[in-house]
Amino acid sequence: MTAAAALRALHHGPGLPLVLPGPWDAASARVFADAGFPALATPSAGVAASLGYEDGATPPDEMFAAVARIARAVDIPVSADVEAGYGLSARELVGRLADAGAVGCNLEDTDHTTGQLRDAHQQADWLAEVRAEAGDALVINARIDTYLRGVPDSDETVRRGRLYAAAGADCVYPILAPPPLLAELATAIGLPLNAVVTADGPTPRELGALGAARVTFGPGLQRQAMAALTGMAERVREELRGAAAGGLRP
């Protein structure tokens, strides 16, 4: 079984979701792999933060290089969030993902030049090109940005999802869709559905019970790690201030 086939096979369905932590560098990837997770999914925002960029501003070369470091660090399948594809042709995108060692990818339907939703048929055509170039060697997670872009319309979400399914997507990701709608959306679209864990939302297990077959974290784990590091830095700094106040050299 290829790595892509292994990743595809892990999408069991609602009730038993595939939980994919989001590593932002090689060290975090090793932590998640050592913890026993069967696969990983890089978050573009988390990787961007680790490289010193705002979300959406990472140069493609740096993003693919970061994905390559993560994939090299572990022996489990890695899916990469490559945003809207960086304007690359399908052949270039598939080639760069393969060179980086990724066997899956997120492709979103936001047009980054306008910040608006891309025409659904154009996005479906693009996904079909990626599928034709990759064959079965890539697990395509088609992100649907309706709820993210202020179009909280289940009918439009389903319409897009069905077009992307017909184009060859393996799963769909209606990011920020209300959790109670997950089962309805998954059934109507007919593909495994990816849901994201949010700070005040359901747990991965609960998302599975609500209809998600795949659960990711976006940049949430990276942000939690940075919050923990901030706390450590503040404690160390307070200790140094205390030492200075006591007449000791900090």
Side-chain angles (χ1 to χ4, degrees):
M1 183 180 291
T2 66
L7 176 58
R8 193 173 285 112
L10 290 170
H11 294 73
H12 302 295
L16 186 62
L18 169 61
V19 178
L20 298 173
W24 53 94
D25 59 14
S28 59
R30 288 196 185 104
V31 168
F32 296 135
D34 290 346
F37 288 97
L40 305 173
T42 69
S44 63
V47 173
S50 76
L51 297 173
Y53 294 103
E54 296 295 322
D55 185 21
T58 308
D61 286 351
E62 292 197 43
M63 181 62 76
F64 285 109
V67 171
R69 289 191 292 271
I70 288 168
R72 282 198 304 267
V74 297
D75 58 2
I76 55 177
V78 172
S79 180
D81 182 350
V82 288
E83 303 177 81
Y86 306 115
L88 299 172
S89 71
R91 175 169 294 184
E92 290 171 322
L93 178 64
V94 170
R96 298 202 68 171
L97 286 166
D99 289 345
V103 297
C105 69
N106 277 16
L107 287 171
E108 63 197 50
D109 60 1
T110 288
D111 182 337
H112 282 240
T113 62
T114 65
Q116 302 299 313
L117 288 169
R118 190 179 188 192
D119 177 82
H121 288 280
Q122 290 180 353
Q123 180 70 3
D125 289 344
W126 158 245
L127 293 174
E129 290 177 16
V130 174
R131 172 55 70 212
E133 287 292 336
D136 292 333
L138 190 67
V139 176
I140 299 174
N141 187 31
R143 203 178 91 176
I144 306 170
D145 287 359
T146 45
Y147 292 94
L148 180 65
R149 298 300 171 192
V151 186
D153 185 331
S154 294
D155 290 340
E156 177 62 12
T157 301
V158 169
R159 184 181 77 90
R160 287 174 175 267
R162 287 177 174 169
L163 286 170
Y164 304 163
D170 294 284
C171 45
V172 291
Y173 180 14
I175 187 170
L176 301 182
L181 295 181
L182 296 179
E184 174 187 325
L185 293 173
T187 298
I189 293 170
L191 285 181
L193 185 143
N194 188 147
V196 64
V197 176
T198 58
D200 56 352
T203 66
R205 182 183 293 273
E206 290 168 341
L207 288 170
L210 288 166
R214 167 175 167 148
V215 174
T216 53
F217 295 82
L221 298 176
Q222 186 267 344
R223 289 172 180 170
Q224 289 183 47
M226 292 303 100
L229 185 59
T230 297
M232 293 170 61
E234 290 173 349
R235 288 193 295 273
V236 170
R237 188 58 187 163
E238 285 303 314
E239 289 176 1
L240 293 174
R241 287 172 180 158
L248 300 177
R249 183 176 181 180

